[in-house]
Amino acid sequence: MAKQLYDYWFVQFDFPNEEGKPYKSSGGAMVYNERLKREIPVGWQVENLVDFAEIKNGATPSTSDDTNYGGDIVWITPKDLSDQQSKFVYQGERNITKQGLDSCSTSMLPINSVLMSSRAPIGLISIAKHEVCTNQGFKSFIPKNMEDSIYLYYYIKHHIKQIEQLGTGTTFKEVSRDDLCKFPILVVGANDTYKQWVELQDEIANKQFVLTKEIAELTKQRDELLPLLMNGQATVNYHLSASTYISFDISVLFLNFTNGNSLYETISLDYQRFALPLHSKENTHGTIQEDKRHIQQRQRQGD
């Protein structure tokens, strides 16, 4: 929905006009822009990206000095974005120390900065939800007005093919800061239409970020529990009264260790997560069929 709103308002230019009707489709005034090679709404401007946001490079502390790593400063690499595949980033695989930060040319980026991988590969994009710094595989954007963060994220994402074409290099292509500084960006201005869109997007983004953290926590729990379940050290006990509701679908792997044998069944649970307390192998909990019947009965009751 968030991406559709961006496309509808800022690509098709069918944002609501004064009468609540789609602007361009209802005959809203347009003017041709030479830099963008297309028509844009009258009153909108085109600027260089560097005039819209500060553009920062990243760097890597020396890996030969262990004291540069293991601190509390979040340090992001393109691999982190590739692994997480998320609109938001707030943690990486490896933190650095204050010494590591001071030893290289990376910069601290405030919350709501937009991170874009600029090589190997070009075009991984995420919004920082924690103060972070990056390695040299990024060009990061700090909007002059932080309320423009969501707009900048979608603008870069929409134009990533053009940005990729700016890449140069023999071993692998990289987009330079100088080229990004001159890249054109459509500026809407602080009108009521734009403010309304930002409010809608902020509401959506806040909910998405909550779910992002929920998913990360569930993934962490899964990775910790599965080895115990697979080798028979633990089994699953369902306390359905402890179920909580969240707004995404998740498939849960049900395991029941009986006489050392593992039985598997994947059941799709729509919009709910069940607490999975561990207990000893001797206290095995029923059969998978019984567990499934309990769950289906609970779902029918609407709990």
Side-chain angles (χ1 to χ4, degrees):
M1 178 180 176
K3 176 64 165 60
Q4 290 174 328
L5 278 175
Y6 173 84
D7 290 344
Y8 195 65
W9 286 36
F10 302 116
V11 179
Q12 302 175 40
F13 301 128
D14 270 335
F15 52 87
N17 63 12
E18 294 83 357
E19 300 174 352
K21 298 178 180 179
Y23 180 84
K24 186 177 179 181
S25 298
S26 300
M30 307 287 290
V31 61
Y32 185 80
N33 183 270
E34 186 64 35
R35 290 191 69 185
L36 297 183
K37 306 297 183 187
R38 64 170 304 186
E39 288 188 331
I40 63 174
V42 168
W44 292 20
Q45 304 295 323
V46 176
E47 296 180 354
N48 290 328
L49 192 50
V50 71
D51 296 322
F52 192 84
E54 190 176 359
I55 303 176
K56 295 286 191 178
N57 293 314
T60 298
S62 173
T63 55
S64 63
D65 187 347
D66 291 340
T67 60
N68 287 334
Y69 294 89
D72 56 4
I73 298 173
V74 179
W75 181 69
I76 304 297
T77 70
K79 183 178 182 297
D80 293 320
L81 297 196
S82 179
D83 289 346
Q84 296 175 25
Q85 292 292 313
S86 174
K87 180 178 180 178
F88 308 104
V89 63
Y90 59 97
Q91 59 186 355
E93 184 177 349
R94 197 176 188 187
N95 282 5
I96 63 173
T97 61
K98 181 66 164 57
Q99 174 184 309
L101 177 70
D102 293 340
S103 71
C104 65
S105 59
T106 192
S107 302
M108 289 303 300
L109 306 168
I111 293 172
N112 288 329
S113 297
V114 178
L115 281 57
M116 185 196 79
S117 63
S118 54
R119 66 177 185 179
I122 297 171
L124 299 174
I125 309 168
S126 194
I127 300 172
K129 284 301 180 182
H130 191 284
E131 287 189 343
V132 303
C133 58
T134 73
N135 76 351
Q136 63 274 16
F138 284 91
K139 298 295 181 291
S140 300
F141 307 91
I142 306 174
K144 300 294 179 67
N145 183 347
M146 295 306 290
E147 292 182 354
D148 295 328
S149 175
I150 291 285
Y151 176 78
L152 180 58
Y153 168 83
Y154 281 114
Y155 188 88
I156 293 173
K157 200 171 184 67
H158 181 75
H159 292 87
I160 200 61
K161 293 299 182 184
Q162 294 98 305
I163 292 175
E164 286 176 353
Q165 293 173 5
L166 300 175
T168 58
T170 53
T171 305
F172 49 79
K173 290 187 175 182
E174 180 174 6
V175 180
S176 72
R177 182 181 181 279
D178 288 342
D179 285 336
L180 286 173
C181 285
K182 296 178 288 186
F183 194 81
I185 182 170
L186 180 63
V187 179
V188 181
N191 57 44
D192 291 340
T193 296
Y194 181 70
K195 291 178 180 178
Q196 181 184 2
W197 182 83
V198 169
E199 289 175 2
L200 288 170
Q201 290 290 349
D202 283 346
E203 183 178 352
I204 294 171
N206 290 338
K207 293 178 180 178
Q208 288 175 327
F209 182 51
V210 169
L211 295 182
T212 296
K213 292 192 291 184
E214 289 272 10
I215 292 169
E217 181 60 29
L218 286 171
T219 301
K220 180 174 180 288
Q221 291 178 13
R222 178 202 65 191
D223 293 343
E224 292 172 349
L225 288 174
L226 277 181
L228 298 175
L229 294 168
M230 296 296 288
N231 64 25
Q233 290 179 279
T235 185
V236 175
N237 182 23
Y238 308 101
H239 292 291
L240 300 183
S241 62
S243 65
T244 57
Y245 292 83
I246 53 180
S247 300
F248 61 90
D249 297 347
I250 182 169
S251 294
V252 179
L253 178 65
F254 286 86
L255 302 175
N256 186 8
F257 290 88
T258 306
N259 298 324
N261 297 319
S262 58
L263 302 174
Y264 304 85
E265 183 173 356
T266 301
I267 301 175
S268 178
L269 301 179
D270 294 336
Y271 306 112
Q272 55 187 310
R273 177 186 60 180
F274 291 91
L276 305 177
L278 293 177
H279 55 87
S280 67
K281 182 177 177 180
E282 289 71 22
N283 293 327
T284 54
H285 175 77
T287 67
I288 291 176
Q289 288 74 21
E290 290 174 350
D291 293 336
K292 183 175 180 180
R293 284 197 295 272
H294 284 307
I295 292 170
Q296 290 172 336
Q297 180 181 4
R298 193 62 177 258
Q299 288 176 314
R300 286 195 295 270
Q301 293 173 348
D303 292 336

